[in-house]
Amino acid sequence: MVAERTADAEWTGGLRDGRGSVKLGSRAFEGGYCFGSRFETGEGTNPEELIAAAHAGCFSMALSAGLERAGFKPESIRTHAKALLEKVGEGFAITEVALETDVDVRGIDKARFREEVENAKRNCPVSRALAGTKITVNARHV
């Protein structure tokens, strides 16, 4: 099975005075971005926010799948992701993605819960794509 997903981006102008737009191939999202929305507090989205959204969604799905394979059906998984963009050398890098998740699942012990969380962190496709980035997870069993 191969799933191909697409997105488009357009940037016009210089770095500080320019403007960009991103559009998902599914048409589920289209939005603008600029220097201010990426490096300050300007309006619009930015690549790091989109990566955080992708990681939160991917991790939640991977954890749900792992819990189900282990015989536990989660009621809900709510994940918040924070991607950190920092100056590294002459450029910038996403140095960490911090995931915080609340999981409502019955009948699982602490050790097995932690194991499934770690498996999802390590094996979700977005985590794998970000293999050079520090990924942390604070998981609460609610």
Side-chain angles (χ1 to χ4, degrees):
M1 177 181 148
V2 174
E4 182 178 296
R5 304 294 180 244
T6 64
D8 295 296
E10 181 178 356
W11 185 265
T12 56
L15 176 62
R16 289 189 180 270
D17 66 347
R19 288 244 173 271
S21 64
V22 293
K23 177 172 50 176
L24 303 184
S26 66
R27 298 187 178 160
F29 174 80
E30 183 173 344
Y33 68 108
C34 63
F35 183 89
S37 68
R38 189 166 195 194
F39 296 103
E40 298 164 352
T41 57
E43 254 184 68
T45 190
N46 55 69
E48 294 72 30
E49 181 176 59
L50 296 170
I51 287 172
H55 206 173
C58 184
F59 172 83
S60 295
M61 289 179 76
L63 182 54
S64 178
L67 288 167
E68 281 190 310
R69 275 192 305 275
F72 306 97
K73 185 169 176 133
E75 291 295 318
S76 67
I77 299 172
R78 292 174 304 282
T79 304
H80 174 80
K82 180 175 22 176
L84 301 180
L85 178 68
E86 297 183 276
K87 184 144 178 54
V88 176
E90 295 298 312
F92 288 84
I94 298 170
T95 57
E96 180 178 351
V97 177
L99 302 170
E100 290 198 23
T101 191
D102 291 324
V103 184
D104 185 356
V105 61
R106 304 289 178 239
I108 193 169
D109 65 44
K110 272 184 158 183
R112 185 59 189 258
F113 177 72
R114 195 73 227 153
E115 180 182 332
E116 294 303 330
V117 167
E118 288 301 313
N119 284 338
K121 176 183 113 173
R122 188 174 39 257
N123 294 313
C124 93
V126 174
S127 289
R128 288 180 173 195
L130 297 172
T133 303
K134 178 181 176 184
I135 299 169
T136 61
V137 179
N138 178 15
R140 289 175 296 276
H141 181 201
V142 297

